Amino acid sequence: MKTINILLFILLFLIPSALFANKEQVVLQLSWLHQFEYAGYYAAKEKGFYDKVGLDVIIKEMNYLRKDSVIDDVLSQKINFAISYSSIIERYLNGDDIVFVANFLKRSPLVLVSQKNIKLPTDMIGKRFMGGKDALKNTSFNLMLSQFNISEKDFIDVPQSFSIDDFIQKKVDVTSIYLTNQTYTLNKERVDYNIINPEDYGAEFYVNNLFTSKTEYIKYPNRVKAFKVATIKGWKYALEHKEELVDIILKKYNSQNKTREELLFEANQIENLILKSVYPLGSIDINRVKRIADTYIQLGIVKDKSRLNKLNDFIFEPEINNPIFTKDQKEYLKKKERLFLCIDPSWMPFEAINEEGKHIGLTSDYFNIFRKELKIPITLVKTKSWTQTLEYMKSKKCDILSLAMKTKEREKYLNFSSAYITSPLVLATRPDITFIDDLTTLKNKKIGIVKDYSFEKTLKDRYPYLNFVQVKNVDDGLMKVIKGEIFGFVGVLPIAAYKFKESYLGQLKIAAKFDEKLELSMGFRNDEPELVNIFQNLLSRVGDEARQFIYNKYVAISYESRKDYTIVWYIVVFFVSIILVFVYWNRKLTSQKEETEKLLNELKITEKLLEEKNEKLEKLYITDKLTNVYNRQKLDAELEKEIYRSGRTGYKFSMIMVDIDHFKETNDEYGHQVGDIVLVEFAEILGSDLRQMDVLGRWGGEEFLIICPHTEKEGAIIKAEELRKAIEDYNFTKVGKKTASFGITTYKQGDTEESVLSRADKALYEAKAKGRNKAVFLL
């Protein structure tokens, strides 16, 4: 019996050892320290995906004190796989035998963070830039800064400490950070900062690139394939089980001692950068690789172009024709056989159905591009009006709506892509109307608006003093203006300009501009969710140059900004008089060439003065005259923007509604002049300790509103308490001590302007009900 037990023990010991011995050990080198950016690799290891393909994977952190390159380690076969930046493309073009295996971050989180007074790259000149010399070696930063002719001599280089604390303590003015994790610390510490993102200046590079050497690939092609497949499975699992992966990191990979909250923040940021709804996990877009390669060539980093046409040798298992759809999407399209498209039949230059029944206008160019990628036809469904188009979408007679603004009502039956056309709203009037700077002067004037257009309800709510009347379509509205039946017509700027030129030359003009903008997306029947991902993918492949070309093809307009024409005409007459006198005498003394040059100089001076006046008027338009903070019109626009951004990105913002306690008693006892002084001082207290990104405005009367982007519940409560205490401790002029009540809320998915404001207002009411001088949070 004893012998049998010994044999069993030996078998149990040897079998796992034999299995382990059959696994191939490989080393993966990370591009930084352990964090959620590498969660897919941890998941593949910890959930056994690597084990199942016979791999024993050792995951190594980056030693940032090393001066040699991880790419060199891969090429010399010291390690098998590594993660790096787009520099692997540059190294391949310059002759290194690298194989690009997979990419996981479609957008780069690497940006510059700057102190609040540094907003543009040019503001960095003469400032303390931590790691500045090293940053210039990064192609995205180099590309951005070179556009402004900024070199190493233009800033003070501070050695890199790899600590965000130096920035928080203002020892440096600028440094590089990762949006995915370090902004968490900045927000938590309530630091005022700006982000300077190279992507905003055309520097778009791949990040989290998995690569190996050509030697590794030739020797072990199956191992490379197995590693890629298992890693993609790991990323899929990590994104579907973020909290579990955070627990794994906390237990086994937390060399940076991050908190759970910090890692969850990073997890959500990473998911946004992966764009999994648009691109298959791990996919490599060869067209984007070509664009990155072209950038290296333009910068002179790559001089030999011979490998530019051999990128298929660089990318591991390049897919034939670079397919853009997943397997499920392909199956959906195959079953669908045909897609049906609805458009606005009369909305040029954006779109229309012409006399031959064909789709024309700006959106037709987009759909012609889409048709080339799709393997099934897109058939136009003819409608007679925009209202009928919407009815067809509701009844599922159409699969796609080419152009529409996302609204709460429409989301009941439509899914929406990201916005791909943005345009301001303007007021068209007869040409004898002077430019209108203050819309309140149009009280009770009849303003035409097309029935069922998305901005109808928004404008009616925001401008209750205007008498909005429905019209059938754009032409109906403009004709009513010409006939004098209505004062003006609200429309989108390109549409108005197109109609003026095509049909109503000299009969109409743009007399006012609204702050509201129309953000237009594609809409899709919501019972077939595959459609939105398919077309979002197609839309993402239309480059900036192509978009601009399409827009310029149909929309060639110019219009004057808001101006006080009374003052402007005085200025114009004054300078024209000077110029005329100047020209008269100049003709007697100088040549025609000198006259022209000096005349142009005078005109430039006039133009500059007009621009300065316009800037002042713009500021007045969005500023509360008494307190000098933003007014309600500006707050409405900022709130709409934050809701849109939060809905798209998942970032949360918070809102604080503030009301001065017993303010009516102050007015009654001391008079309105003293009350105005209290309001001014109150606004100064609220604005004294806000971040650059926060938005403060007067909501009305003694109520103020603070919008706090990228702020969760905890941060908003802390800020409200700080302000409450500051107000409580302050001695107001003549009235002494005052207090205030605070209503706080945070954006949640599906919120509208009405819902988030209502929640903040309820929280404020509850604070008052509890005895005032309180801050209450509601969600």
Side-chain angles (χ1 to χ4, degrees):
M1 186 69 181
K2 185 177 180 181
T3 303
I4 293 171
N5 287 336
I6 292 170
L7 288 171
L8 285 171
F9 174 79
I10 291 170
L11 285 170
L12 289 170
F13 177 79
L14 289 178
I15 288 172
S17 300
L19 288 172
F20 184 80
N22 288 332
K23 290 180 188 174
E24 299 178 65
Q25 189 177 84
V26 296
V27 177
L28 168 67
Q29 174 71 66
L30 305 181
S31 55
W32 189 241
L33 306 179
H34 288 306
Q35 54 193 23
F36 199 91
E37 183 184 349
Y38 311 112
Y41 304 97
Y42 306 146
K45 181 177 175 68
E46 301 300 328
K47 304 308 293 185
F49 301 139
Y50 288 140
D51 285 343
K52 288 177 183 178
V53 294
L55 296 177
D56 174 26
V57 179
I58 298 171
I59 302 176
K60 294 175 62 177
E61 286 185 302
M62 168 62 75
N63 180 355
Y64 55 81
L65 298 177
R66 284 181 52 185
K67 294 187 178 179
D68 51 340
S69 167
V70 67
I71 297 177
D72 294 329
D73 284 351
V74 171
L75 291 171
S76 62
Q77 294 186 275
K78 291 180 182 178
I79 54 179
N80 308 92
F81 299 94
I83 300 162
S84 190
Y85 305 95
S86 289
S87 54
I88 62 170
I89 301 172
E90 174 258 312
R91 292 288 295 265
Y92 171 78
L93 293 171
N94 279 325
D96 288 322
D97 288 328
I98 295 171
V99 176
F100 190 177
V101 179
N103 164 264
F104 292 98
L105 293 190
K106 306 304 177 187
R107 296 183 61 198
S108 173
L110 187 61
V111 300
L112 296 180
V113 63
S114 61
Q115 301 294 350
K116 63 180 181 179
N117 60 321
I118 302 171
K119 298 179 180 179
L120 298 170
T122 48
D123 296 333
M124 294 164 49
I125 295 173
K127 299 297 191 295
R128 297 163 299 173
F129 188 170
M130 185 163 72
K133 288 182 181 179
D134 293 332
L136 283 175
K137 296 174 185 177
N138 179 282
T139 310
S140 61
F141 293 146
N142 188 359
L143 180 62
M144 175 180 70
L145 296 177
S146 66
Q147 294 179 45
F148 298 90
N149 296 317
I150 296 174
S151 63
E152 185 181 317
K153 65 178 176 19
D154 293 315
F155 53 78
I156 302 166
D157 182 64
V158 178
Q160 181 64 267
S161 70
F162 299 99
S163 172
I164 195 65
D165 291 338
D166 288 346
F167 179 82
I168 294 172
Q169 294 164 14
K170 297 189 176 180
K171 293 179 181 178
V172 296
D173 302 302
V174 183
T175 188
S176 58
I177 64 164
Y178 257 52
L179 284 172
T180 48
N181 48 35
Q182 289 169 295
T183 48
Y184 173 86
T185 304
L186 294 174
N187 293 339
K188 186 177 180 181
E189 296 294 327
R190 307 191 68 77
V191 176
D192 286 330
Y193 65 90
N194 288 309
I195 294 295
I196 302 176
N197 193 336
E199 287 194 355
D200 294 338
Y201 300 89
E204 295 186 4
F205 292 87
Y206 270 151
V207 180
N208 202 313
N209 299 316
L210 177 64
F211 72 100
T212 188
S213 65
K214 191 169 184 179
T215 304
E216 173 83 13
Y217 168 62
I218 292 172
K219 284 184 177 179
Y220 313 105
N222 292 332
R223 186 162 79 184
V224 174
K225 183 176 179 62
F227 190 87
K228 176 180 179 178
V229 170
T231 300
I232 290 172
K233 285 183 179 178
W235 269 112
K236 186 174 186 297
Y237 187 91
L239 296 175
E240 292 174 354
H241 303 85
K242 292 195 287 291
E243 293 197 4
E244 181 184 345
L245 262 296
V246 166
D247 290 336
I248 289 172
I249 294 170
L250 288 169
K251 186 177 180 181
K252 292 190 175 184
Y253 300 96
N254 196 17
S255 57
Q256 297 191 67
N257 297 315
K258 294 189 175 186
T259 64
R260 179 180 178 80
E261 186 181 14
E262 198 172 355
L263 286 166
L264 284 171
F265 174 87
E266 185 186 354
N268 291 326
Q269 299 286 80
I270 289 292
E271 185 172 26
N272 290 334
L273 297 175
I274 283 177
L275 298 175
K276 65 176 183 176
S277 64
V278 178
Y279 302 99
L281 284 170
S283 65
I284 302 169
D285 184 343
I286 193 168
N287 293 319
R288 188 166 179 184
V289 173
K290 286 178 180 176
R291 291 198 298 273
I292 295 170
D294 286 337
T295 300
Y296 284 121
I297 291 169
Q298 290 167 17
L299 290 173
I301 297 170
V302 173
K303 301 187 185 300
D304 185 355
K305 302 179 184 179
S306 59
R307 282 195 163 192
L308 192 58
N309 295 322
K310 298 178 181 178
L311 291 176
N312 280 347
D313 296 335
F314 170 56
I315 299 172
F316 177 68
E317 290 188 337
E319 297 181 34
I320 299 171
N321 297 326
N322 191 31
I324 62 173
F325 303 125
T326 64
K327 184 180 178 181
D328 290 343
Q329 289 170 347
K330 289 176 182 176
E331 289 178 359
Y332 165 80
L333 291 170
K334 187 177 180 181
K335 290 179 182 177
K336 192 73 176 171
E337 294 184 349
R338 180 180 298 273
L339 294 171
F340 293 96
L341 170 69
C342 269
I343 71 169
D344 188 321
S346 179
W347 210 31
M348 285 295 286
F350 288 155
E351 59 187 13
I353 298 174
N354 67 8
E355 293 177 357
E356 289 78 36
K358 292 181 179 179
H359 179 188
I360 60 172
L362 184 151
T363 60
S364 69
D365 281 22
Y366 275 92
F367 277 88
N368 286 337
I369 293 172
F370 300 155
R371 285 183 175 94
K372 291 176 182 177
E373 299 283 2
L374 291 166
K375 301 301 181 185
I376 61 173
I378 303 176
T379 301
L380 176 67
V381 177
K382 298 171 189 175
T383 55
K384 295 180 180 180
S385 67
W386 174 243
T387 301
Q388 187 180 46
T389 294
L390 291 179
E391 288 300 325
Y392 274 32
M393 290 304 302
K394 287 179 184 178
S395 59
K396 314 301 182 189
K397 291 180 180 179
C398 297
D399 302 302
I400 311 161
L401 181 57
S402 59
L403 207 58
M405 188 169 179
K406 181 164 69 171
T407 65
K408 187 175 181 181
E409 178 61 31
R410 290 174 186 170
E411 284 185 300
K412 293 176 182 178
Y413 57 93
L414 291 175
N415 290 327
F416 287 90
S417 70
S418 60
Y420 67 109
I421 297 174
T422 303
S423 189
L425 297 177
V426 295
L427 183 69
T429 66
R430 294 190 307 277
D432 58 321
I433 303 298
T434 56
F435 194 89
I436 301 157
D437 185 62
D438 185 0
L439 292 173
T440 59
T441 60
L442 303 182
K443 187 175 182 180
N444 297 324
K445 296 282 188 184
K446 287 186 178 180
I447 307 296
I449 190 166
V450 176
K451 183 183 178 184
D452 290 329
Y453 271 9
S454 57
F455 49 81
E456 181 181 3
K457 184 178 184 301
T458 301
L459 294 182
K460 284 182 176 179
D461 290 343
R462 292 186 183 177
Y463 307 99
Y465 48 82
L466 297 180
N467 181 14
F468 288 104
V469 295
Q470 291 184 340
V471 296
K472 296 175 184 176
N473 52 42
V474 175
D475 285 304
D476 180 38
L478 295 177
M479 281 304 301
K480 279 182 164 57
V481 174
I482 292 170
K483 293 176 181 177
E485 296 176 19
I486 57 177
F487 176 82
F489 171 77
V490 179
V492 185
L493 178 59
I495 309 295
Y498 176 85
K499 291 292 184 182
F500 290 1
K501 179 181 176 183
E502 294 295 316
S503 307
Y504 308 107
L505 192 63
Q507 300 179 74
L508 294 162
K509 66 177 283 188
I510 293 171
K513 177 176 170 287
F514 294 84
D515 279 345
E516 287 74 20
K517 289 185 178 180
L518 204 61
E519 302 217 353
L520 300 166
S521 310
M522 288 182 285
F524 309 92
R525 54 188 298 172
N526 61 2
D527 59 333
E528 296 182 13
E530 299 88 351
L531 279 169
V532 66
N533 291 331
I534 288 171
F535 277 85
Q536 182 63 53
N537 197 354
L538 289 169
L539 183 60
S540 69
R541 295 169 70 85
V542 182
D544 291 339
E545 287 185 10
R547 293 185 188 214
Q548 196 61 50
F549 176 80
I550 293 170
Y551 190 84
N552 291 342
K553 179 180 174 182
Y554 292 95
V555 183
I557 57 173
S558 63
Y559 67 101
E560 293 180 284
S561 300
R562 182 182 296 105
K563 296 180 176 67
D564 181 343
Y565 276 94
T566 304
I567 297 171
V568 169
W569 278 114
Y570 279 127
I571 295 171
V572 170
V573 170
F574 174 73
F575 277 100
V576 167
S577 300
I578 292 174
I579 292 167
L580 288 173
V581 172
F582 179 83
V583 171
Y584 173 77
W585 286 106
N586 223 31
R587 280 180 176 173
K588 293 183 178 183
L589 301 172
T590 63
S591 68
Q592 184 63 40
K593 181 178 179 181
E594 290 173 337
E595 294 171 22
T596 305
E597 287 177 355
K598 290 183 179 180
L599 176 60
L600 287 173
N601 286 335
E602 293 293 339
L603 288 172
K604 285 178 181 177
I605 293 171
T606 305
E607 183 181 357
K608 185 177 179 181
L609 287 170
L610 294 179
E611 287 177 359
E612 290 174 357
K613 180 62 183 174
N614 182 53
E615 286 177 7
K616 291 178 181 178
L617 290 170
E618 286 285 351
K619 185 176 179 181
L620 286 171
Y621 186 70
I622 61 171
T623 303
D624 178 62
K625 292 179 182 178
L626 175 64
T627 60
N628 205 34
V629 297
Y630 286 132
N631 59 20
R632 183 161 183 167
Q633 190 164 18
K634 175 66 172 175
L635 287 171
D636 280 338
E638 289 296 319
L639 180 56
E640 183 179 23
K641 182 173 73 176
E642 284 304 319
I643 287 175
Y644 176 73
R645 180 161 57 190
S646 296
R648 285 189 63 193
T649 65
Y651 295 142
K652 288 189 176 180
F653 74 91
S654 293
M655 194 164 67
I656 305 172
M657 190 172 282
V658 194
D659 186 88
I660 305 175
D661 293 334
H662 304 298
F663 185 71
K664 185 178 182 299
E665 295 175 8
T666 300
N667 278 334
D668 291 344
E669 184 176 350
Y670 298 96
H672 286 281
Q673 285 187 330
V674 172
D676 286 350
I677 294 170
V678 171
L679 286 170
V680 171
E681 291 177 347
F682 190 79
E684 288 174 352
I685 297 169
L686 293 179
S688 63
D689 193 30
L690 295 180
R691 300 170 300 172
Q692 184 73 26
M693 68 175 72
D694 294 332
V695 179
L696 167 66
R698 186 179 177 191
W699 190 244
E702 67 271 25
E703 280 191 349
F704 291 78
L705 193 66
I706 306 171
I707 300 170
C708 307
H710 300 285
T711 305
E712 302 274 357
K713 170 184 175 182
E714 293 76 12
I717 291 173
I718 291 169
K719 173 50 64 180
E721 278 296 329
E722 289 174 354
L723 293 172
R724 186 196 64 77
K725 188 70 168 59
I727 292 163
E728 186 180 39
D729 294 342
Y730 186 82
N731 277 310
F732 288 86
T733 301
K734 293 192 177 182
V735 302
K737 296 291 185 180
K738 295 294 296 180
T739 61
S741 300
F742 293 74
I744 317 161
T745 192
T746 297
Y747 173 87
K748 59 183 179 182
Q749 197 63 35
D751 259 337
T752 62
E753 293 166 65
E754 292 78 13
S755 63
V756 75
L757 282 168
S758 174
R759 211 160 51 243
D761 191 54
K762 286 179 182 177
L764 177 61
Y765 180 81
E766 190 172 319
K768 291 180 180 179
K770 288 183 176 180
R772 304 178 190 269
N773 195 22
K774 298 283 192 303
V776 172
F777 179 89
L778 285 181
L779 188 63

